[in-house]
Amino acid sequence: MGAHRSGFSLLLSSRLYRTFIRPKFEYGLAITTFLKKDIAELEKLQDRCLRLLVGGCSTSSTTVLKILTALPSVSWRIDVLQTKYCLRLPFLPDDCLLVLLQRQLDSRSHLHQLRQNRLFLSLPSPPTSSTAALSSFFHRDRQQLHTSFLATTTRVLPRACRSLLGVDPILYLPATRTDRSRLIRWRMGWLPGKPHDCPCTRDHTSRRHFNKYECEAIATSLWNDLPAAPPDVHIIDHAINELPSNPQRYCPYWPSLLSILWQVECLVRPEIQFPEDLDPGALWRTHSLPHNQPAS
C-alpha cells in the first residue's frame, strides 16, 4: 500500500488486512473443495501476512495475535463462505445457469461435497434466512471452538488471553504508543523475552519471575494495586483480562499496570535507558472525563 508498517497500529493493520488482503486469497474458496494440505498452505499464507503486521520472525507463533485481533483461522472462514454459498442457492432465479445445472447433478457432485462442511450440517432446521441470526450462529460456533481450544491447549500464552472472543481492549484503550507496545509484547511473549539474570539477583528474567512477591526490583505497592489473580493465573495477565472494554470507563489500576511493564522492560534491557512516564495512564484518564467511572 506504499506505507511503512510502523506507521499503523496493530488494530488498524489487522483491519486493513481483513478488508484488503484477506479477500484476495479468499476468492473462490466458497466453491472449492480442499485437501488438508491445501488448507495448511492457506493457513501458512495468512500467518505470513500476520507476522508482517508485527515484524515477527518466520517461526513466531500467530495464535495469540489472532486472538488479540479476533481474526479467525482460514479453515473456519472456508466453512463460513461455503455455508453462505449453499444457503443462497435456493434463492437464485429459476433461469440461473447454476440452478439449471443443479437439476442434472447427482449425489456425488461438487455441490453435494460443499454441503458436507461442518457448519452447514450443524445449521438449525429449517435454516435461517435472517442475516442477524446467521451472524449470531457463526459467532456462537467460533466462541465454542475458542473455548474448546483454551480448555485443551497446554500453551501458556493463548491460555492467558481472554476467554470471550473479540478484539482485545489493549489494542484500542487510550494509551501511548510505547505503553501499547509493551502490553502487546507481554501478550505475545516478547516481553520479557530471552531470560538472563535479573538485577534483583533472585532469579532469571521470565514471566514467572515478574510476579507478585517474586521480583524485589518492582515495588510491592504496584502489585497490590492490581486485582487479585486466581490460582495458577499470572497477575499481569489477569489484570489485562480485567480491563474494561469501554474506553469511557477508566480503570483505577491502569497506571500501576503500565508502571510494572515499564519496570519489566527496564530490568530486561538494563543497557537502555527507557524514559519514565511521570503520569502513567494520563491519556486514558483524560479521555474518560467527565465519565470517569471505576471499572467493576
Side-chain angles (χ1 to χ4, degrees), residues 241-290:
N241 288 339
E242 290 297 303
L243 291 172
S245 56
N246 184 356
Q248 293 297 332
R249 297 181 59 206
Y250 180 70
C251 180
Y253 63 79
W254 179 244
S256 297
L257 175 61
L258 299 183
S259 295
I260 288 173
L261 291 177
W262 169 74
Q263 291 194 32
V264 168
E265 185 149 53
C266 290
L267 292 170
V268 300
R269 300 291 301 275
E271 73 280 6
I272 300 178
Q273 254 193 335
F274 296 98
E276 180 179 5
D277 188 347
L278 300 180
D279 190 12
L283 195 61
W284 188 3
R285 187 164 56 250
T286 303
H287 178 85
S288 64
L289 293 174

Side-chain angles (χ1 to χ4, degrees), residues 22-278:
R22 189 176 69 182
K24 298 295 184 183
F25 62 83
E26 282 189 345
Y27 180 78
L29 298 189
I31 58 173
T32 308
T33 54
F34 295 92
L35 299 175
K36 288 184 178 180
K37 65 177 183 179
D38 299 324
I39 296 178
E41 287 301 316
L42 288 171
E43 297 284 7
K44 290 179 182 178
L45 174 60
Q46 174 166 264
D47 288 346
R48 288 200 296 271
C49 292
L50 296 182
R51 291 187 186 104
L52 291 175
L53 304 185
V54 292
C57 66
S58 59
T59 57
S60 58
S61 172
T62 60
T63 302
V64 172
L65 184 56
K66 283 183 278 194
I67 295 175
L68 294 182
T69 55
L71 287 169
S73 65
V74 175
S75 60
W76 188 82
R77 284 288 299 166
I78 291 173
D79 283 345
V80 168
L81 293 172
Q82 291 182 351
T83 297
K84 288 182 176 180
Y85 178 77
C86 292
L87 285 174
R88 280 195 292 264
L89 283 178
F91 301 98
L92 293 176
D94 290 339
D95 58 350
C96 176
L97 177 60
L98 185 59
V99 174
L100 296 174
L101 289 174
Q102 184 180 356
R103 297 168 184 167
Q104 308 300 321
L105 299 177
D106 58 25
S107 61
R108 296 168 295 176
S109 70
H110 184 74
L111 182 58
H112 175 76
Q113 294 180 47
L114 294 180
R115 286 173 171 158
Q116 301 309 304
N117 89 69
R118 180 189 60 83
L119 266 182
F120 185 78
L121 293 175
S122 62
L123 283 170
S125 182
T128 178
S129 58
S130 165
T131 303
L134 191 60
S135 296
S136 178
F137 169 77
F138 289 148
H139 179 76
R140 288 196 304 272
D141 181 78
R142 259 198 82 198
Q143 182 62 63
Q144 290 173 0
L145 293 176
H146 179 64
T147 302
S148 176
F149 169 72
L150 294 182
T152 55
T153 185
T154 58
R155 296 154 67 183
V156 173
L157 296 176
R159 287 175 62 90
C161 293
R162 293 185 172 225
S163 58
L164 291 179
L165 277 176
V167 174
D168 197 299
I170 65 172
L171 299 189
Y172 60 81
L173 291 175
T176 66
R177 183 170 180 169
T178 302
D179 286 333
R180 197 181 313 282
S181 171
R182 291 189 183 117
L183 288 161
I184 293 172
R185 284 184 286 131
W186 176 269
R187 283 293 210 198
M188 298 286 292
W190 298 353
L191 185 70
K194 187 177 180 179
H196 58 78
D197 291 337
C198 182
C200 77
T201 70
R202 291 194 60 180
D203 204 344
H204 297 299
T205 56
S206 64
R207 285 173 58 89
R208 177 182 55 80
H209 176 60
F210 292 122
N211 210 334
K212 192 173 184 179
Y213 307 127
E214 293 291 338
C215 183
E216 296 178 349
I218 300 178
T220 303
S221 59
L222 293 176
W223 295 113
N224 290 338
D225 288 341
L226 303 187
D232 301 324
V233 176
H234 197 288
I235 189 170
I236 294 180
D237 293 324
H238 180 66
I240 294 176
N241 288 339
E242 290 297 303
L243 291 172
S245 56
N246 184 356
Q248 293 297 332
R249 297 181 59 206
Y250 180 70
C251 180
Y253 63 79
W254 179 244
S256 297
L257 175 61
L258 299 183
S259 295
I260 288 173
L261 291 177
W262 169 74
Q263 291 194 32
V264 168
E265 185 149 53
C266 290
L267 292 170
V268 300
R269 300 291 301 275
E271 73 280 6
I272 300 178
Q273 254 193 335
F274 296 98
E276 180 179 5
D277 188 347
L278 300 180

